[in-house]
Each structure stands twice: as structure tokens, then as C-alpha cells.
Amino acid sequence: MDKTISIATLPLRGGHPSLDFANTVDSRRGRWGPDVLVSYGDLLQWSQQARVLKPDQVGSLSRLAASDLDGTTAALTRAKQLREAIYDVFSALAGEREAPEQALDLLREEYRLAHATRALAADQGAIAWVWPDAVGLDTVTHRLAVEAVDLLTSPRARRVKECFGRNCGWLFLDTSRNGSR
């Protein structure tokens, strides 16, 4: 039986999109990898599975990606840099260590860029931040930066844990009553 992990077989066990994104590297303890984000298409497929983007948004970005191969390479690189920053920050938080300043700086910058694409809008009597349709190759990165900062600045951040098993290192949101998941 083939046990090769891929985007299609990667479980979403982090309990939060930004933690699941950090977990797109299958192992961080004892060995690193594999990294299942091999292509921009993998990033889009993962974003749909994790419900970061809707299928029609993935379709729009796929069409845009087909016409800008250099842009997809750069966008995938930025997404992976964000992924590593998310991992570094939440791993430090889970281990009760100071988050690396470089990782916080990158997360802060991606969050700032993401907010430049959002708008305040009225919806059924409430005002909320809304995302435009998926219009740029960095759409996934922008949404994950906001997801990560929202979690990081919430009380739930204290419930982020890291698997310390051999060949693991995955991050997850511990939703158990006593925090012992």
C-alpha cells in the first residue's frame, strides 16, 4: 500500500485553517517533510479543502494562474514563507517561548497587505469586513494571514498545542475540556 502523503490525502486536524496550513509539511520532528505544497495548484486545492476559498474562487484563481506562471511561483513562495512564520509563531506560543521577531514581522506585513484588499460593508444591518472575489494570486496568503492573526489575538490562542511525537510537530487547537488533547 502506498503511504505517500499528498494534498488529497493530508488530513485537516489542526482545528483552525492557519494551523492546518502550517501542517502542510507532514513532519517537523525528527525529519522535515514532505512538503505537500509542490505547486500553486496544490495551494488552491488545499484552500478549497480547508474552506479558505469557495470552489468558484478556486476556479477564478486557476484561470488567472494559467496565464501567469511566474506569478504563481512567486505567490507560492510567499505562501510558504507565511506558512513557516505561522508555524514559528504558534510553535513558540505552544511551547511558552517568545515568538521569533522575524516571523512576527512577516505575519504583520502579510496581515497589513491582506487588509488593504478588504472592505467594510453593510450586511443585513451589521457592518463587517468582507473579502472581494478572489482577484489576485496572493488571495490564499492574504486570507490565511488574517486567519492566523485573528487566532493569535484571541483567547483561543492559549489552546494551541504542538504534537511532540516522533516525526510529528503538527499544530492543533486543543478543544478538550481540560486541555489535554
Side-chain angles (χ1 to χ4, degrees), residues 5-162:
I5 193 139
S6 68
I7 285 296
T9 61
L10 184 73
L12 300 174
R13 294 189 179 136
H16 190 273
S18 63
L19 302 179
D20 283 324
F21 187 56
N23 296 341
T24 59
V25 172
D26 185 46
S27 178
R28 293 178 182 270
R29 298 254 175 253
R31 66 175 172 81
W32 191 92
D35 180 348
V36 298
L37 295 179
V38 177
S39 68
Y40 188 78
D42 290 337
L43 178 65
L44 292 180
Q45 183 180 346
W46 177 87
S47 70
Q48 184 173 336
Q49 287 171 210
R51 296 187 175 153
V52 172
L53 295 178
K54 296 175 185 167
D56 62 318
Q57 295 169 322
V58 170
S60 294
L61 287 174
S62 292
R63 288 186 292 281
L64 180 60
S67 66
D68 188 359
L69 296 180
D70 289 338
T72 61
T73 300
L76 180 61
T77 298
R78 282 189 299 277
K80 287 182 175 190
Q81 289 170 339
L82 176 65
R83 176 189 64 194
E84 294 309 305
I86 289 170
Y87 176 80
D88 290 345
V89 168
F90 282 104
S91 176
L93 183 68
E96 299 179 357
R97 300 180 313 273
E98 285 291 320
E101 197 60 38
Q102 185 176 4
L104 281 173
D105 286 346
L106 192 142
L107 185 55
R108 202 177 291 121
E109 178 62 12
E110 289 297 342
Y111 182 80
R112 185 189 66 74
L113 292 170
H115 262 291
T117 68
R118 295 174 86 187
L120 281 176
D123 183 28
Q124 299 176 351
I127 305 294
W129 285 108
V130 295
W131 290 106
D133 289 333
V135 294
L137 295 175
D138 288 322
T139 296
V140 176
T141 301
H142 289 163
R143 296 196 184 181
L144 288 166
V146 170
E147 290 279 353
V149 170
D150 286 350
L151 177 58
L152 191 60
T153 59
S154 79
R156 296 184 318 152
R158 292 185 302 255
R159 298 194 68 100
V160 173
K161 303 273 179 80
E162 183 174 2

